[in-house]
Amino acid sequence: MKNTRGRVKVALIILLVLLSVFLIFLSALLIRTYTFSAAGNQDSSYFDRSHAAFAANFSESEGKLLLDNLKGALRIRTVSRNATDFDISALEEFGDFLPKVFPTVFSSNLVQHEIIAKYSHLFTVRGSNDSLQPFMLIAHLDVVPALEEEWDVPPFSAEEKDGYLYGRGSMDDKSSLMGILQGLEFLLKRGYIPCRSFYIGIGHDEEVGGNNGAKNIAKVLQSRGVKLSFLLDEGSVILDGVIPGLNKHAAIIATSEKGFATVNLNVSVDTGHSSMPPKETSIGILAAAVSKLEKNPMPRMFGQGPERGLFEHLSPQLHFPLNMVMANLWLFSPIVSRMMEKKQSTNTIVRTTTAVTEFHAGIKANVIAPFARATVNFRLHPVHTLDQLLQQIQHIISDERVKIEVLQHYPSLPMSSYDDTSFGYQVIKGTIQNIFPEVAVAPGLCIANTDTRHYQKLTKELYRFIPMILKQEDVTRVHGVNERISVKNYEEIVKFYFRLLQNSDLSSLPSSRIPSCDL
Ligand SMILES: *[C@@H]1O[C@H](CO)[C@@H](O)[C@H](O)[C@H]1NC(C)=O
Ligand SMILES: *[C@@H]1O[C@H](CO)[C@@H](O)[C@H](O)[C@H]1NC(C)=O
Ligand SMILES: [Zn+2]
């Protein structure tokens, strides 16, 4: 009897202890959830209307002009097929086209224009205050090929249909290129004199690696001793309905970029007649290796890279309990990454992806294949190194007959800052909020590769963002069929750059709401 009472007592105490631990734990989760709500919703007060001298309002004729200029750019077939196969006459035509549509930019004594590596462009815009570190906007003028017969309209016709402008390059990347220069053209026309100097770099071979264009633009700036405050490139957008549980559009400013590794797998065996085959052929050995790689995805790394910032920043916009989960990825990332890896589009931010892209073997129907080779393309998660990857490949395949060699490798790009004191990030974010007040803004990861990597020596603050609004179904239009931009969205893109150039005139953050020179 006494004994039982004792046991009940102990059980009660244990229960109480567990309950308090649970309550403390729950409050920790909730505190984190709701402090994010407060922090993540910062307004764009540094960038309120009062200091932008020129409001982002365009007249009807300007609205028509900006659209006509974009159409002109889309009609020039600046296609890059590979590093040596591009259309020289189209690149030259593009060079002749720019001064025609941006006469003020090309005649202003504030702007210096240079041709780099024959077809790329560098604009230097001199600000009035030399003590401010310049920034840079970059874009590219080349496009990938288009399979004409699959499109609803000819890909280089720039046809307008149902409020959209169709054309190869309308998303990648001519609306950004033209938007930047159009924004500058309109500003200069209004008599704008920037305080902070800036550069505009337009590469001509981004789609095939940027080793002529962007690389040489960066070299020229390095040789002049230029250091940048920040750089803004393509590579991320405003997502409409892509993020589950979010009822708003999400503008993702990519602060890092996935890496890239192409790996060859080779198997060589003694050749012989197929009438007396060995137990395993080179083809069988390699096929088994490739199959193991596909069955064993690289480890989940979700929550260790910039994707953590993405969900933490978006968490205030989500409903309970999704907000608690996203604000507490330190705890929930294993569950969240298991959910995310089910879809291709979200799996790519959870881990290093594996794509077997080539398989070559065999020479004749009755000869044992002397060798077999497969190529595998990995896109590295930002915290995943090449050494780790190679060890994992070796471990997964576990067959010494399969030789592993790296063909090409770019490490992922380091994470740029996105806190309250990060000038570039805050200027970009504030400008998004000026032009799209209803949109949630968050840092994120660029899953493709851009020209940005060529500029790493000029600044650590590298951002990728274009205010282009994309639905899930639009994602495949980039490099795919029926690439298009809405007429309304393109005008917003021009407004964004028009405003961004002015917002960058602030001397510092966050106390300074005053421009760094008299306007
Ligand atoms: C793998 O095969 C490729 C193409 O046949 C060859 O160039 C390369 O040298 C081979 N590598 C090894 C390690 O055998
Ligand atoms: C230029 O910018 C610096 C740094 O913000 C500031 O101290 C200085 O007053 C500015 N110069 C002029 C002429 O406005
Ligand atoms: Zn691009």
Side-chain angles (χ1 to χ4, degrees), residues 264-268 371-374 403-405 407:
N264 255 0
L265 306 177
N266 285 16
V267 179
S268 300
F371 62 79
R373 171 173 65 89
K403 304 285 175 243
I404 301 166
E405 101 192 305
L407 274 190

Side-chain angles (χ1 to χ4, degrees), residues 442-458:
L445 174 65
C446 173
I447 54 167
N449 293 117
T450 66
D451 265 348
T452 311
R453 66 180 61 254
H454 297 295
Y455 294 87
Q456 288 184 80
K457 292 208 173 107
L458 297 168

Side-chain angles (χ1 to χ4, degrees), residues 258-434:
K258 282 189 100 172
F260 182 104
T262 307
V263 172
N264 255 0
L265 306 177
N266 285 16
V267 179
S268 300
V269 295
D270 293 336
T271 180
H273 199 273
S274 59
S275 59
M276 292 179 298
K279 226 173 166 183
E280 281 181 290
T281 61
S282 60
I283 297 177
I285 295 166
L286 186 63
V290 160
S291 168
K292 279 187 207 160
L293 277 180
E294 288 194 338
K295 286 202 187 104
N296 295 281
M298 289 298 150
R300 294 179 201 97
M301 294 188 161
F302 181 75
Q304 299 173 41
E307 68 280 2
R308 179 165 177 165
L310 167 68
F311 288 100
E312 287 179 347
H313 276 69
L314 289 180
S315 66
Q317 317 285 345
L318 304 171
H319 296 297
F320 187 85
L322 213 51
N323 58 351
M324 186 178 78
V325 170
M326 292 307 185
N328 292 283
L329 285 178
W330 59 274
L331 177 66
F332 293 114
S333 70
I335 302 171
V336 175
S337 49
R338 275 186 180 79
M339 272 161 44
M340 291 186 39
E341 70 185 2
K342 297 209 166 95
K343 261 172 54 184
Q344 284 171 20
S345 58
T346 43
N347 181 45
T348 184
I349 63 174
V350 171
R351 57 161 49 87
T352 295
T353 53
T354 305
V356 182
T357 51
E358 287 184 50
F359 198 108
H360 303 275
I363 43 176
K364 200 163 180 290
N366 61 353
V367 173
I368 299 297
F371 62 79
R373 171 173 65 89
T375 304
V376 191
N377 184 236
F378 296 92
R379 298 301 176 100
L380 289 155
H381 185 277
V383 303
H384 204 186
T385 65
L386 183 65
D387 282 349
Q388 290 169 331
L389 174 73
L390 290 176
Q391 272 179 19
Q392 279 148 343
I393 295 173
Q394 212 156 25
H395 180 76
I396 290 169
I397 295 178
S398 288
D399 187 339
E400 284 179 359
R401 294 168 299 177
V402 180
K403 304 285 175 243
I404 301 166
E405 101 192 305
V406 179
L407 274 190
Q408 202 185 15
H409 166 240
Y410 303 129
S412 55
L413 264 64
M415 250 198 280
S416 300
S417 67
Y418 54 85
D419 59 23
D420 285 352
T421 61
S422 166
F423 182 77
Y425 184 84
Q426 293 301 338
V427 166
I428 297 163
K429 178 180 170 184
T431 308
I432 296 168
Q433 290 170 328
N434 288 150

Side-chain angles (χ1 to χ4, degrees), residues 128-132 506-508 515-518:
S128 57
N129 189 339
D130 275 342
S131 64
L132 301 171
L506 282 185
S507 60
S508 63
S516 47
C517 58
D518 298 327

Side-chain angles (χ1 to χ4, degrees), residues 56-75 97 101-102 158 160 165 174-175 177-186 189-190 485-496 498:
N57 294 322
F58 304 147
S59 69
E60 209 169 295
S61 65
E62 283 174 326
K64 188 179 173 309
L65 180 69
L66 63 88
L67 205 62
D68 285 345
N69 289 345
L70 178 61
K71 287 180 186 169
L74 294 178
R75 289 188 181 121
F97 166 78
V101 291
F102 303 122
E160 204 177 321
L165 208 56
K174 285 179 175 167
S175 45
L177 180 183
M178 293 298 285
I180 294 169
L181 290 171
Q182 190 71 67
L184 177 59
E185 173 80 11
F186 285 163
K189 271 206 132 138
R190 285 159 170 74
I485 182 109
S486 87
V487 169
K488 175 170 175 285
N489 192 194
Y490 180 61
E491 188 162 331
E492 288 164 341
I493 290 176
V494 179
K495 286 181 177 173
F496 171 83
F498 181 94

Side-chain angles (χ1 to χ4, degrees), residues 21 198 382 426:
V21 168
F198 58 95
Q426 293 301 338

